[in-house]
């Protein structure tokens, strides 16, 4: 608010300046190249900044060239956009079940599932300076550490930064200092939540106060921590794989301490190439369970890749809606599970069919027939 | 066409600031309903409800900490509209817990639901679906206008403090950044319910200009395209690209554009009622 009031006081000047200023509030004309991504922080993980599909395509990244061609075609010859009714849109979606679908390398939220999403931001008073405060993960379990990074730059060059305070703030109000020290072009540190004497899941606030020459600044990020004592379950040994009803079932042990609804996710790859993802949500009592992970047959035949397959990014959590954090993390499965050498032809290429699918289609049809609210969606580009 | 429109917007900015973006524009002469007011009829053996979910710092669709505003519920033949009381001022856990209770009330057995969500309401329903058993509710679809499902940069990082001056003065505003929302739960798990998303691209200068919270990416003043479009990463998107209809692989599963690949040239406040108008309500 303190920064807003001077902006208000300088309103007329600022408005005149904004009206003439090229920048974020000026939109490029159609066909013009989209604006660049925010000023970056080269020393930091590339995940800190994302580009749109068209820019990524123009950069020649693998797997995105077809998007670039689609954009070029659209720009040169605008097409009418066919609209799909809810029934038709759902039928196209429900070729695969909601809990196991094809996996694409662009689904970074499923593959790099624990990454953070902070991005460099200009300093409020000095737009030539960008500030990024981030870390290496969001969920932290047991003995895992959290590595915060502060990267302040003037243009592309690292700016001189004086860190005044770096602390982890706990839900009970305790403020635990940690060291955020120069490391190459950034300030970096390590937080060890296991040393914070927490007996339950906690939302940690990691805060830093610093000065890069434009006055005191404060930044903060949050992370969710599950201490070892609160871990609700642990993965055990793989229990084999088989073809069941045309789909691939891979089983693994789960040792459950805390009963409840579990959220289990995993991805399937063939020779490093993505094939399918799965999610299962069993309600489990305490004890050791055989946990089947089903990868839908058509998702595998769509990829057309033969086994052996590897199950990777196997992770899980106990659902705790109504709590903060809303999940209690299970330590991720270490490594990958390799399946037998199933040819893709062993699996069914049939579309998903289930009572819930037929029920939903029937309900959507009734709604349409009654003249209820009508929503349509344009077809995806690759469906036109 | 763009520049005159922008100049008009700029001329209105002092008013916007003065009002702290408090009003939700709707048609004139339409009295807002009280939370829980039913306004339509039953159908056959069950009832089809349109559940309206408000945004950040709200208590219901029509009542927020910014004031009651002029928001109203949509009205459709054969559909009973409900103004869900969900406290989005304190925490996501409170909001999601209340959402689950409402879904248990309205969306089971012969009854079925449609959801109209605004802003952070899109995140609340997304988390509720991801953290509960599949098939628990009969939800035909979710319509998200200006959805904050992917998190808002104005909640994020060192710029968070000024946000309270922009009308987002509640504790939950601290919890709705991109990392919180994207890493917090699996957005691909909708239980088979399709999300229809309508995005806005009319920026506010105080979030898209000085300073620029969104790094030059298209936004409606409060949420960027990557969030309101259901994209699976914080992609940088130009607002004149027809970005909403790229391949499904760029989106959370089951998330797709409503009506248009380009979104609407409206700001976050105007988006609240835009979807209802487009749905014929």
């Amino acid at each position: 608010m303190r920064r807003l009031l001077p902006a208000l006081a300088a309103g007329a000047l600022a408005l005149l300046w904004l009206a003439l200023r090229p920048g974020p509030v000026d939109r490029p004309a159609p066909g013009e190249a989209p604006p660049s991504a925010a000023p970056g922080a080269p020393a930091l993980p590339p995940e800190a900044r994302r580009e749109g599909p068209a820019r990524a395509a123009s950069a020649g990244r693998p797997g995105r060239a077809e998007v670039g061609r689609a954009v070029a075609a659209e720009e040169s010859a605008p097409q009418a956009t066919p609209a799909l009714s809810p029934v038709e849109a759902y039928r196209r979606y429900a070729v695969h079940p909601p809990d196991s679908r094809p996996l694409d390398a662009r689904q970074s939220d499923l593959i790099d599932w624990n990454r953070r999403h902070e991005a460099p931001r200009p300093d409020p008073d000095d737009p030539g300076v960008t500030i990024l405060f981030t870390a290496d993960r969001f969920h932290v379990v047991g003995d895992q550490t959290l590595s915060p990074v502060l990267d302040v730059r003037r243009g592309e060059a690292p700016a001189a930064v004086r860190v005044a305070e770096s602390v982890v703030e706990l839900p009970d109000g305790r403020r635990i200092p940690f060291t955020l020290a120069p490391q190459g072009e950034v300030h970096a540190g390590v937080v060890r939540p296991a040393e914070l004497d927490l007996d339950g899941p906690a939302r940690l606030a990691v805060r830093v106060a610093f000065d890069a020459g434009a006055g005191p600044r404060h930044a903060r990020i949050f992370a969710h921590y599950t201490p070892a004592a609160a871990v609700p379950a642990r993965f055990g040994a793989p229990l084999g794989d088989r073809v069941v009803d045309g789909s691939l079932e891979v089983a693994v042990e789960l040792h459950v301490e805390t009963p409840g609804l579990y959220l289990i996710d995993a991805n399937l790859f063939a020779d490093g190439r993505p094939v399918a993802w799965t999610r299962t949500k069993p309600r489990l009592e305490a004890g050791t369970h055989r946990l089947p992970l089903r990868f839908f047959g058509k998702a595998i035949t769509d990829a057309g890749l033969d086994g052996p397959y590897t199950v990777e990014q196997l992770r899980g959590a106990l659902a705790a809606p109504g709590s903060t954090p809303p999940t209690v993390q299970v330590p991720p499965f270490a490594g990958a599970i390799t399946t037998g050498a199933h040819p893709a032809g062993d699996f069914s290429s049939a579309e998903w069919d289930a009572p819930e699918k037929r029920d939903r289609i029937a309900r959507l049809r009734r709604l349409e027939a009654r003249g209820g609210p009508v929503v349509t969606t344009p077809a995806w580009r690759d469906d036109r | 066409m763009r520049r005159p429109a922008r100049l008009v917007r700029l001329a209105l900015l002092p008013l916007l600031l003065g009002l702290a973006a408090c009003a939700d524009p709707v048609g004139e002469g339409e009295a807002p309903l009280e939370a829980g007011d039913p306004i339509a009829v039953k159908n056959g053996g069950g009832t089809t409800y349109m559940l309206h979910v408000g945004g950040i710092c709200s208590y219901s669709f029509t009542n927020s900490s910014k004031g009651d505003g002029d928001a109203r519920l949509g009205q459709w033949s054969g559909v009973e509209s409900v103004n869900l009381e969900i406290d989005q001022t304190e925490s996501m856990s409170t909001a999601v817990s209340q959402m689950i209770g409402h879904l248990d009330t309205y969306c089971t057995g012969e009854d079925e639901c449609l959801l109209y969500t605004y802003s952070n309401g899109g995140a609340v329903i997304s988390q509720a679906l991801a953290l509960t058993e599949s098939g628990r509710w009969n939800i035909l679809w979710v319509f998200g206008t200006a959805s904050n499902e992917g998190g808002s940069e104005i909640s994020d990082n060192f710029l968070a403090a000024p946000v309270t001056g922009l009308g987002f003065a509640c504790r939950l505003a601290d919890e709705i950044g991109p990392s919180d929302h994207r890493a917090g739960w699996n957005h691909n798990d909708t239980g088979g319910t399709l999300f229809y998303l309508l995005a806005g691209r009319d920026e506010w200068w105080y979030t898209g200009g000085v300073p620029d919270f969104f790094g030059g990416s298209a936004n409606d003043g409060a949420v960027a395209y990557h969030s309101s479009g259901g994209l699976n990463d914080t992609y940088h998107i130009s607002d004149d690209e027809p970005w909403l209809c790229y391949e499904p692989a760029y989106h959370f599963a089951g998330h797709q554009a409503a009506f248009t690949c380009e979104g609407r040239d409206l700001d976050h406040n105007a988006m609240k009622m835009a979807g209802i108008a487009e749905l014929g309500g």
Side-chain angles (χ1 to χ4, degrees):
Chain A
M1 193 66 190
R2 279 182 311 206
R3 291 195 185 99
L4 197 60
L5 290 174
L8 186 58
L13 186 58
L15 293 177
L16 180 61
W17 175 74
L18 279 166
L20 301 173
R21 170 183 175 262
V25 293
D26 278 316
R27 301 191 180 95
E32 190 177 325
S36 301
L44 288 173
E47 293 82 358
R49 182 175 54 206
R50 293 295 175 197
E51 296 173 324
R55 285 191 65 80
S58 66
R61 290 187 177 175
R64 296 189 178 183
E66 64 274 21
V67 178
R69 284 197 295 274
V71 172
E74 183 77 14
E75 287 174 350
S76 60
Q79 310 166 18
T81 303
L84 305 179
S85 71
V87 173
E88 183 57 29
Y90 178 71
R91 289 177 69 96
R92 293 193 185 197
Y93 161 83
V95 165
H96 305 96
D99 58 357
S100 180
R101 305 177 63 80
L103 179 67
D104 187 286
R106 290 163 290 190
Q107 291 175 287
S108 59
D109 63 314
L110 291 171
I111 298 171
D112 195 4
W113 58 275
N114 199 18
R115 62 178 289 265
R116 304 191 60 92
H117 294 272
E118 288 81 22
R121 298 284 174 243
D123 185 281
D125 298 327
D126 186 352
V129 170
T130 59
I131 302 168
L132 172 62
F133 187 47
T134 186
D136 58 334
R137 65 182 81 208
F138 182 79
H139 296 286
V140 187
V141 186
D143 291 336
Q144 290 180 337
T145 59
L146 183 73
S147 301
V149 172
L150 175 66
D151 186 358
V152 185
R153 292 179 179 269
R154 181 171 292 283
E156 292 296 316
V161 173
R162 186 183 65 80
V163 173
E165 183 185 42
S166 47
V167 298
V168 179
E169 207 167 78
L170 306 182
D172 59 12
R174 282 184 292 155
R175 291 166 58 86
I176 312 296
F178 72 98
T179 301
L180 201 61
Q183 185 174 314
E185 296 186 341
V186 303
H187 280 68
V190 177
V191 174
R192 294 180 172 80
E195 298 174 358
L196 299 179
D197 195 25
L198 291 162
D199 54 8
R203 180 172 165 85
L204 309 177
V206 183
R207 298 182 183 277
V208 60
F210 62 97
D211 193 329
R217 295 286 179 267
H218 299 268
R220 59 108 178 90
I221 55 175
F222 293 101
H224 288 177
Y225 177 59
T226 301
V231 164
R234 294 183 187 276
F235 289 108
L239 296 176
D241 57 273
R242 57 182 180 167
V243 180
V244 178
D245 296 333
S247 295
L248 175 63
E249 181 188 280
V250 182
V252 63
E253 275 184 334
L254 187 67
H255 308 294
V256 173
E257 294 279 337
T258 308
L261 183 72
Y262 279 83
L263 318 169
I264 309 293
D265 295 280
N267 299 323
L268 191 73
F269 292 83
D271 198 21
R273 288 187 282 180
V275 175
W277 60 265
T278 190
R279 179 170 174 88
T280 184
K281 298 198 283 190
R283 188 169 286 282
L284 300 173
E285 298 297 326
T288 296
H289 298 267
R290 178 184 182 276
L291 185 67
L293 308 170
R294 181 190 67 152
F295 294 94
F296 188 64
K298 182 171 169 52
I300 299 173
T301 60
D302 286 354
L305 299 172
D306 295 333
Y309 304 102
T310 55
V311 177
E312 303 181 27
Q313 294 95 38
L314 173 56
R315 71 271 190 197
L318 175 67
S323 302
T324 302
T327 59
V328 187
Q329 295 293 301
V330 173
F333 184 88
I337 300 172
T338 302
T339 74
H342 306 282
D346 279 5
F347 302 100
S348 170
S349 60
E351 290 186 8
W352 178 55
D353 184 32
E356 62 263 38
K357 175 178 176 178
R358 293 192 290 273
D359 177 66
R360 187 183 295 267
I361 289 173
R363 286 176 183 269
L364 287 170
R365 281 185 173 146
R366 283 200 297 270
L367 181 70
E368 200 170 274
R370 286 206 310 268
V374 176
V375 61
T376 62
T377 187
W380 296 103
R381 289 177 179 280
D382 52 357
D383 280 349
R384 294 176 197 167
Chain B
M1 289 299 290
R2 286 182 181 279
R3 180 162 289 272
R6 187 161 63 85
L7 289 172
V8 170
R9 288 200 309 274
L10 291 173
L12 292 173
L13 282 172
L15 179 61
L16 282 173
L17 271 177
L19 296 176
C22 64
D24 297 309
V26 292
E28 291 180 6
E30 293 167 327
L33 296 177
E34 296 300 319
D37 280 356
I39 60 171
V41 297
K42 281 207 169 231
N43 279 294
T47 301
T48 303
Y49 296 98
M50 177 70 90
L51 307 183
H52 293 61
V53 187
I56 186 67
C57 302
S58 71
Y59 302 99
S60 71
F61 186 74
T62 61
N63 182 7
S64 78
S65 61
K66 294 184 287 186
D68 286 348
D70 295 318
R72 64 166 178 83
L73 306 190
Q75 301 179 54
W76 296 270
S77 173
V79 173
E80 186 167 315
S81 284
V82 179
N83 189 12
L84 291 192
E85 291 184 342
I86 293 180
D87 182 350
Q88 292 194 59
T89 65
E90 284 298 317
S91 68
M92 280 294 287
S93 57
T94 298
V96 170
S97 182
Q98 293 176 353
M99 170 66 84
I100 289 171
H102 289 306
L103 297 178
D104 283 339
T105 299
Y106 293 106
C107 314
T108 60
E110 292 296 310
D111 297 333
E112 62 193 20
C113 294
L114 309 166
L115 270 82
Y116 183 88
T117 70
Y118 170 58
S119 188
N120 199 60
V124 174
I125 181 62
S126 171
Q127 187 181 115
L129 290 173
L131 301 190
T132 52
E133 302 93 333
S134 296
R136 179 165 166 177
W137 304 299
N138 303 317
I139 302 174
L140 301 193
W141 44 253
V142 173
F143 188 103
T145 185
S147 175
N148 189 44
E149 184 179 348
S152 172
E153 283 79 357
I154 63 175
S155 168
D156 209 15
N157 226 316
F158 66 100
L159 293 171
V163 170
T164 54
L166 303 177
F168 298 89
C170 66
R171 210 184 72 78
L172 179 55
D174 260 4
E175 286 189 31
I176 59 169
S179 285
D180 298 280
H181 276 11
R182 289 178 177 275
W185 66 93
N186 185 339
H187 296 247
N188 300 277
D189 180 8
T190 66
T193 297
L194 293 190
F195 279 48
Y196 290 88
L197 300 165
L198 190 63
R201 60 173 184 273
D202 189 13
E203 300 173 353
W204 296 332
W205 71 266
Y206 44 87
T207 58
V210 280
D212 180 3
F213 288 70
F214 301 99
S217 193
N219 67 86
D220 65 9
V223 294
Y225 273 18
H226 68 71
S227 176
S228 51
L231 291 154
N232 62 21
D233 205 341
T234 50
Y235 298 112
H236 179 280
I237 303 290
S238 167
D239 61 0
D240 61 353
E241 284 185 271
W243 53 273
L244 270 172
C245 302
Y246 287 117
E247 298 162 69
Y250 288 113
H251 294 249
F252 298 126
H255 289 60
Q256 56 199 347
F259 300 118
T260 170
C261 294
E262 289 79 28
R264 295 292 179 228
D265 193 11
L266 298 172
D267 74 5
H268 195 69
N269 288 337
M271 288 299 294
K272 182 168 185 176
M273 297 303 296
I276 287 178
E278 300 222 20
L279 287 167

